[in-house]
Amino acid sequence: MKGQVLCEKRTASDGSCVAVLTMDNKPVNALSAGVRVGLEKQLQELTADSSVKAAVLSGGPGVFCGGADISEFATGVEGPSLTDIIAAIENSEKPVVAAIDGVSLGGGYEVALGCHWRLASSRAQAGLPEVNLGILPGAGGTQRLPRLIGAEKSVDFICRGTPMKAQKAVQLGLYDQLVDGDYSSLLQAAVEFAAKAAGQDLTLRRLGRGKAKAAELSQKRQEYAKSRKGELAPQAIISCVEAAVAQDFQDAMKVEFSEFCKLMVGPQAQALQYMFFAQRQCQKVPGLDKAAAPGTCGIVGAGLMGSGIAMCCAENGIKVVLLDIDQKNLDRGMTAIKKNYARSVERKSKSQAQVDGLLASITPSTSYDSLGHCDIVVEAVFENMDLKRKIFAELDRVCKPGCVLASNTSGLNIDSIAEATKRPQDVVGCHFFSPANVMPLLENVRGPRTAPQVMAKAMAFGAKLKKVTCLVGNCPGFIANRVMNVSGWTHLIQGGLLPHQIDAAAEAFGMRMGPTRMMDLVGLDLFGRERERKGEQDPDRVVFDAMYKASRFGQKSGKGYYSYDASRRHSRDPEAEALIQQVWKNLGVQPREMSQEEIIDVLYLPVVNEGFKCLEEGMALRASDIDVCCVFGYNWPRYTGGPMKWGFSLGLDQVLAKVEKMGLKPSELLKEGAQKKWRINSKEFNAGVASAWNSRWTSKL
Ligand code: TC6
């Protein structure tokens, strides 16, 4: 059984004996069966040992508790329930004081709520992030918290799921007291506090009684239906908090239990818990050693992307040389950075002193020679192979040996870029998503000649930037762009559906923005001009071409597939729809109605098929890596688990049948999976994927 609880007896200054119970389950003291059994046993001993007057509950230095053990959810939870343990703490006749250093999250904070007092160090954080796992704080959290801080504040705290730092948490009443100093000062203070509390009547310190103060929560329902659209957990949480207001503790706990069970067995919880592990797993690449993160980063190109990467580096302690050979561009880039930070000061998310520090760590330059001392250089100019090759030849000339030479290309061949240097082993892709200082994903692209230690440095770079970093193979579009670009949007828009029909289905599926609105946001002009220049004729782009020819470039020109008002709100536009209808007429297509499910199948089953192709080609290491790329790079709805998890949940035989019916060439791996009825965690499937990856890459490790 994983985890234990240690007990040490301490003597307080008044001579009384206090038991210090320490949860011990590295790295985050998750409440695995071993910890729960340990707590149960230690609480029994606390009651039985008359020499002990009170107890302090801690998690040791640096972390109190990261909550229930999420890995147990899939395999089944055994041993005493957390709800019973917390009740035993709360009902103890001897005071139990939580000494919180580091995070107290989920079940960890619920344990703290069961304690009679909560003392915290300045490093402490309180959070009930279960909503992000598709569940709710089901060990009494939805009941004790409203009785502590009120129903409305509880709904916000639980539905947002964001941890709160110690000082704010004390102000909100989540902790009782802040203790200055390190863990040993906290522990000492908690021992003294517990000793003083010994013998007191604890009734009023027990949150598990009575009702929470009356509150009206219908507005909160609407608010979270909007801000957490499509998610089931927030509404269930509000039902539990309503029960806290309306019912006595024991009855309201039954509501919490019932809502918790419904969520736990549902597809959203399973998908979100899968995502929790997928996000962490993608950063682990078998065979790569650990590498030191770069201290200084050069960035070539001070446009939107370059300046975003510069801010991202500066904010994570990496010094930056921002280079643009055009002084005007460089000034424009620096001005954009300064404006962005001025807004942060206005919004009070950063202090002026912090901003001054960040700006001081970015050195603008127009000379390549200033990149000589950089540990990594990221080229972030527009997508032109000749230009990129020229830049890499320059980098080869000026950069020190061992410097990682990275391109932020979103799809050009890394190997062709590497050929422009005498050190192709040092060349890698670092594909940021725009805006680079906001979007969480970094795809690190491995070229056929990239050396393993260079990949390792690129992974360390991503970790230092706090990006969700995924290693992908060198193929057109890499992973996120490649799989998302095959969506069946063209098929729909040229097949009789209007933009609002397609977008409504995608948004109801959970996409933050339908694909047509997304195209309007990105703009049609750049791509259109490029097509014009190359004289491309593509039967799949006739609607696009009609929009482009009519100068309907999207949001930036006030009209695209939709029209836009001054606040960039979109509405259907008869002129745009007439252009689309003319295309249908030319193609002999009739307007159509399709169900949401049919639209989603046409849009996204090709994405699943392409994902399988990436796996069979060894371009992605795991199915879950593809899901991570789509969720964090394209805002694919997290609660479906990403396209691969979604595809598996539909059943691979169903996916295959529909892909074939659409006339697409199915992936061989998908065919095998459909025939063998693989699940996403099937050993045979994962072994096949790993072998495709290894045959492409392992020989180079
Ligand atoms: C709950 O409590 C429900 C209660 C209701 C009644 C039952 N369980 O993130 P990191 C692992 S639900 C199992 O890289 P950090 C993680 O997978 C829970 N494992 O580190 C990773 O393993 P790996 C509510 C967990 O320092 C390792 O620990 N709680 C858990 O950047 C390190 O994690 C949450 O949702 C867990 N609860 O961040 C909190 N937590 O090394 C979830 C972590 O094998 N956790 N692991 O890859 C977090 O937010 C963060 O992990 C952190 C630490 C802030 C605790």
Side-chain angles (χ1 to χ4, degrees):
M1 247 190 301
K2 260 179 74 195
Q4 57 178 341
V5 176
L6 308 169
C7 178
E8 179 208 351
K9 287 182 185 161
R10 289 215 180 181
T11 308
S13 55
D14 66 359
S16 49
C17 177
V18 175
V20 174
L21 312 181
T22 308
M23 294 175 279
D24 176 28
N25 187 15
K26 304 257 167 332
V28 302
N29 294 329
L31 293 155
S32 316
V35 176
R36 298 197 307 279
V37 167
L39 280 170
E40 186 181 52
K41 180 169 157 276
Q42 296 297 350
L43 286 165
Q44 282 162 0
E45 283 177 17
L46 176 69
T47 309
D49 189 342
S50 59
S51 70
V52 179
K53 301 296 175 214
V56 166
L57 179 60
S58 96
V63 57
F64 180 73
C65 174
D69 185 341
I70 303 165
S71 63
E72 277 185 355
F73 292 166
T75 53
V77 178
E78 283 174 6
S81 83
L82 192 55
T83 306
D84 289 347
I85 304 269
I86 294 171
I89 295 174
E90 187 168 67
N91 293 328
S92 162
E93 290 303 325
K94 298 177 186 176
V96 182
V97 175
I100 302 165
D101 188 33
V103 292
S104 57
L105 298 179
Y109 183 66
E110 292 181 282
V111 166
L113 282 173
C115 295
H116 304 106
W117 282 273
R118 289 158 287 281
L119 267 54
S121 76
S122 59
R123 289 195 296 184
Q125 286 186 39
L128 291 172
E130 286 89 339
V131 69
N132 300 320
L133 298 167
I135 53 173
L136 52 78
T142 68
Q143 298 309 310
R144 288 190 177 87
L145 191 66
R147 287 164 171 85
L148 179 66
I149 64 167
E152 289 190 5
K153 286 179 186 161
S154 297
V155 166
D156 287 337
F157 186 68
I158 307 175
C159 286
R160 286 183 193 149
T162 315
M164 192 174 275
K165 290 198 175 140
Q167 217 152 17
K168 266 188 139 179
V170 172
Q171 282 163 13
L172 187 60
L174 302 173
Y175 295 146
D176 295 299
Q177 218 179 84
L178 205 60
V179 178
D180 286 337
D182 59 8
Y183 173 69
S184 59
S185 316
L186 172 72
L187 200 57
Q188 187 56 36
V191 166
E192 293 300 327
F193 193 105
K196 279 211 185 84
Q200 281 186 27
D201 178 3
L202 297 174
T203 312
L204 294 179
R205 300 303 308 175
R206 294 189 177 111
L207 297 170
R209 61 191 172 83
K211 293 177 187 171
K213 272 204 196 114
E216 166 52 43
L217 299 175
S218 56
Q219 221 168 330
K220 293 276 170 210
R221 276 203 184 276
Q222 287 170 20
E223 191 181 322
Y224 286 99
K226 208 166 155 198
S227 64
R228 301 205 69 136
K229 201 173 125 214
E231 292 181 56
L232 300 173
Q235 298 300 319
I237 287 164
I238 296 173
S239 299
C240 294
V241 178
E242 281 170 347
V245 168
Q247 300 181 33
D248 281 334
F249 183 76
Q250 291 307 337
D251 290 333
M253 280 295 281
K254 289 182 193 148
V255 175
E256 182 190 89
F257 181 68
S258 149
E259 294 292 337
F260 179 81
C261 294
K262 275 191 264 172
L263 290 174
M264 193 58 149
V265 295
Q268 288 195 1
Q270 284 170 24
L272 286 163
Q273 287 157 27
Y274 159 86
M275 251 304 130
F276 175 84
F277 290 111
Q279 182 181 344
R280 283 159 179 81
Q281 204 177 15
C282 76
Q283 336 246 4
K284 295 175 191 157
V285 182
L288 282 193
D289 292 333
K290 279 226 150 56
T296 310
C297 176
I299 296 165
V300 182
L304 184 69
M305 201 45 131
S307 47
I309 300 171
M311 286 191 279
C312 193
C313 288
E315 285 159 30
N316 289 290
I318 300 179
K319 288 201 164 60
V320 176
V321 179
L322 180 61
L323 180 137
D324 202 305
I325 50 165
D326 182 331
Q327 183 71 50
K328 263 196 199 151
N329 282 347
L330 188 60
D331 293 345
R332 209 177 300 135
M334 285 307 293
T335 306
I337 293 173
K338 284 175 192 162
K339 269 194 186 154
N340 201 305
Y341 282 148
R343 274 200 299 276
S344 304
V345 174
E346 262 168 46
R347 273 192 253 113
K348 297 196 167 61
S349 60
K350 288 188 178 64
S351 69
Q352 188 58 50
Q354 276 173 318
V355 164
D356 292 344
L358 293 173
L359 288 172
S361 67
I362 304 176
T363 309
S365 168
T366 52
S367 160
Y368 274 93
D369 291 327
S370 57
L371 299 177
H373 65 295
C374 293
D375 304 315
I376 183 168
V377 176
V378 183
E379 162 276 306
V381 303
F382 61 91
E383 296 288 33
N384 178 304
M385 180 57 91
D386 291 341
L387 178 62
K388 286 187 193 274
R389 285 172 61 92
K390 265 189 210 145
I391 290 171
F392 273 75
E394 260 319 86
L395 295 181
D396 196 10
R397 184 182 67 77
V398 298
C399 292
K400 67 181 180 188
C403 173
V404 176
L405 308 183
S407 172
N408 177 53
T409 176
S410 58
L412 295 179
N413 189 330
I414 295 297
D415 204 28
S416 311
I417 298 173
E419 274 167 12
T421 72
K422 288 189 228 54
R423 37 175 143 169
Q425 74 283 356
D426 290 342
V427 178
V428 67
C430 284
H431 179 210
F432 289 84
F433 288 70
S434 185
N437 53 324
V438 177
M439 290 297 284
L441 180 67
L442 174 66
E443 282 183 339
N444 276 335
V445 188
R446 178 176 206 165
R449 289 190 275 173
T450 314
Q453 65 272 27
V454 174
M455 280 318 316
K457 283 185 199 171
M459 295 305 284
F461 179 49
K464 176 103 183 176
L465 296 179
K466 299 200 189 82
K467 295 283 183 201
V468 178
T469 308
C470 196
L471 177 54
V472 301
N474 180 31
C475 55
F478 314 130
I479 295 298
N481 285 349
R482 170 174 169 180
V483 299
M484 292 306 291
N485 279 348
V486 301
S487 100
W489 178 84
T490 305
H491 194 78
L492 293 170
I493 198 100
Q494 292 187 189
L497 269 88
L498 288 168
H500 70 278
Q501 292 173 288
I502 305 171
D503 286 353
E507 285 163 21
F509 178 68
M511 292 291 179
R512 213 170 280 172
M513 198 181 265
T516 335
R517 280 177 64 203
M518 181 63 100
M519 280 179 244
D520 269 354
L521 177 70
V522 174
L524 280 68
D525 49 340
L526 268 185
F527 184 57
R529 266 199 296 278
E530 186 67 5
R531 278 170 57 71
E532 210 167 37
R533 194 179 62 78
K534 290 186 182 158
E536 281 178 358
Q537 299 288 328
D538 186 346
D540 280 346
R541 302 256 183 226
V542 273
V543 171
F544 175 92
D545 288 342
M547 292 292 150
Y548 177 71
K549 270 192 204 129
S551 300
R552 303 188 67 98
F553 297 151
Q555 265 196 29
K556 61 175 84 161
S557 63
K559 56 181 191 172
Y561 293 97
Y562 297 97
S563 56
Y564 293 85
D565 65 14
S567 340
R568 302 203 158 194
R569 267 190 303 261
H570 74 291
S571 53
R572 286 176 63 180
D573 184 336
E575 207 179 287
E577 292 185 5
L579 286 170
I580 296 169
Q581 280 150 349
Q582 185 56 48
V583 171
W584 295 347
K585 210 169 158 195
N586 299 344
L587 295 172
V589 165
Q590 294 296 319
R592 286 180 72 183
E593 289 292 334
M594 282 169 80
S595 69
Q596 181 190 317
E597 196 189 329
E598 286 170 320
I599 297 176
I600 293 306
D601 281 353
V602 175
L603 270 179
Y604 298 129
L605 288 178
V607 174
V608 180
N609 187 39
E610 196 66 21
F612 274 96
K613 288 185 184 172
C614 291
L615 291 172
E616 75 193 16
E617 291 167 20
M619 291 299 171
L621 175 53
R622 314 169 182 96
S624 59
D625 285 5
I626 299 173
D627 287 330
V628 164
C629 289
C630 294
V631 166
F632 293 97
Y634 269 82
N635 290 321
W636 179 287
R638 204 181 154 99
Y639 58 75
T640 69
M644 302 306 286
K645 172 80 177 158
W646 174 67
F648 272 97
S649 70
L650 298 175
L652 295 189
D653 49 349
Q654 294 294 313
V655 175
L656 177 66
K658 288 181 178 175
V659 161
E660 281 175 333
K661 202 167 157 209
M662 280 180 223
L664 297 171
K665 185 174 178 325
S667 131
E668 291 303 317
L669 192 65
L670 171 60
K671 282 198 219 163
E672 191 180 348
Q675 195 221 334
K676 294 183 176 165
K677 298 202 181 312
W678 280 338
R679 300 161 71 89
I680 199 157
N681 52 3
S682 296
K683 277 201 178 114
E684 197 185 355
F685 167 60
N686 288 324
V689 169
S691 135
W693 175 268
N694 287 338
S695 62
R696 183 174 280 276
W697 302 113
T698 303
S699 57
K700 296 177 197 316
L701 286 175

